Amino acid sequence: MRAEVKRCTWLLLLSGLVFGVGRLAAMSPESGAVAGAFYGVVLNGAPQTGFALLVLDADARLYMAQEDFVRLGLARAIAPVMRDGVALVPLQGHPGMVVYRDAQQLSLRLEVEPDWFAPTRMNLHAPQAGRPLPASPGALLNYTLQATRSEGHAMAWGGTQSLSLFGSPGLLQLNTAIQSGDGGAASWSRQSGARVSRLATTFLHDDEQHLSTWSLGDAVLQAGAGVPGVRYGGVTWQSNFGLNPAFSALESPALFDAARLPSTLEFFLNDRRVGAPVAVPAGPFEVSGLPTVGVNGTVSVLIRDALLNERIVNVPFLNTASLYRQGLHSFSYTAAWLRPELDTYQTPFVATSHRWGLTRRVTLDAGATLSARHRSAGVGASAALWGPFLGNTHVTWSQALPGAGQQWGASLEWQDTRARMGGSYSHASPRFALLSDSASSQLHTRDDVRFFAAQALGQNWGSVSISLGRLSDWQ
């Protein structure tokens, strides 16, 4: 066995020698070119494995074989020079590279900037969720029952029921409520006075490939810029990022840096190391999806290179649903009828809303509604201002029977891991009206001022909050 190992070792050494001699012979004086030699290379202070073929031309300009240049990890695009079928890269005269050659020791020392290497991008939170298995047909019934009794009145009964039927086509939900209307027992008979109300009937179909959901039936319109939160019956197509458990709409902190040598990254939160170390090659690198905890704080990244040189980079983060990660877009399109009462559908309308992650710190909102007697459109923006402060501003225009109107407002919020506080102010013109506002309403809000604060009390103790507000109208 040892004889076999020795024989293999000698064969590898002999093949390496023959390969080197062959490359060197290609540059020998007999072929009409200047002589070359194999040098050991030290790159940014770190010795490299193997050797590199170096050649000096008649003007003493230094060249390196292109394959050795690439093997060192250097990615700068430099036009090669052909010599006897061998591609050579000139080493001198380039900004960001300093060359030291020791002809006696056959040693080459290169000092290059990080941008000479190829950039690296990685996302620490990029696992891809598998495709969900087809749902088997089934049903689920949830219900609640309650009884109340007060002095001078008979006992009253009530309850809610939610029936879900699901399968590969989608999910059908039926929500109802039963309440005794005369203080007697709830039943299905008219004599008892019990009332059965249909709260909502909705069919949902998910599109996992495009992270969107179709809904047909009763729902509540999500409030946004230019779009009020109203109950309706109709059809909606909207983004649904929750269909992919590995997908996050939040802007996670990212590290943008560069290394002159292969390095290892370690992450620290509150002076404790979290996660596993990550290795990055030499060159510029971007590492997104850094670990976080709580609402805001700082991730400390320890960068240790191959020569054990260390430095720390601090990356602040802010986790809030008000900000989308850069480049993300969500949408919602609705065609429906308003549902002012449980058994009443009226006023057909269409509505749309959108959100864009413009930058890592700014998210834009836009929305609009249109009906036969009403139109509205609005825009807004949320931004991470400084530290843990988050700002928001919006403006909405409307056109209805009373006339044209406008509303604008702004808010400022401070939030930490255990506490948050802030305030908001909005002002509306006398004729401003949204889709849900009645033209005959006698109360039109003019100014809305609010302040709030909340503090977590600790584990298993819940939290305490306080809010103050003031409304004024045009009467």
Side-chain angles (χ1 to χ4, degrees), residues 16 41 67 80 93 138 187 211 280 337 387 423 428:
V41 180
E67 60 179 287
S187 68
L211 297 183
V280 294
W337 287 264

Side-chain angles (χ1 to χ4, degrees), residues 314-388:
N314 294 319
V315 182
F317 66 88
L318 176 64
N319 287 332
T320 171
S322 299
L323 296 179
Y324 270 6
R325 58 182 173 88
Q326 185 173 358
L328 184 63
H329 169 233
S330 66
F331 62 87
S332 176
Y333 298 96
T334 299
W337 287 264
L338 284 179
R339 191 187 183 195
E341 304 292 340
L342 292 179
D343 55 354
T344 302
Y345 295 90
Q346 61 185 25
T347 313
F349 72 94
V350 293
T352 182
S353 60
H354 299 264
R355 296 198 74 199
W356 295 273
L358 183 63
T359 68
R360 296 178 60 86
R361 303 178 65 87
V362 178
T363 295
L364 300 182
D365 300 85
T369 61
L370 174 64
S371 67
R373 300 183 178 182
H374 180 276
R375 296 185 295 272
S376 66
V379 294
S382 300
L385 301 178
W386 60 91

Side-chain angles (χ1 to χ4, degrees), residues 102-124:
D102 188 338
Q104 295 182 349
Q105 300 293 329
L106 292 180
S107 174
L108 178 71
R109 182 159 62 93
L110 297 177
E111 298 292 335
V112 300
E113 295 298 324
D115 58 2
W116 276 74
F117 302 93
T120 300
R121 292 180 175 86
M122 64 177 64
N123 188 349
L124 301 184

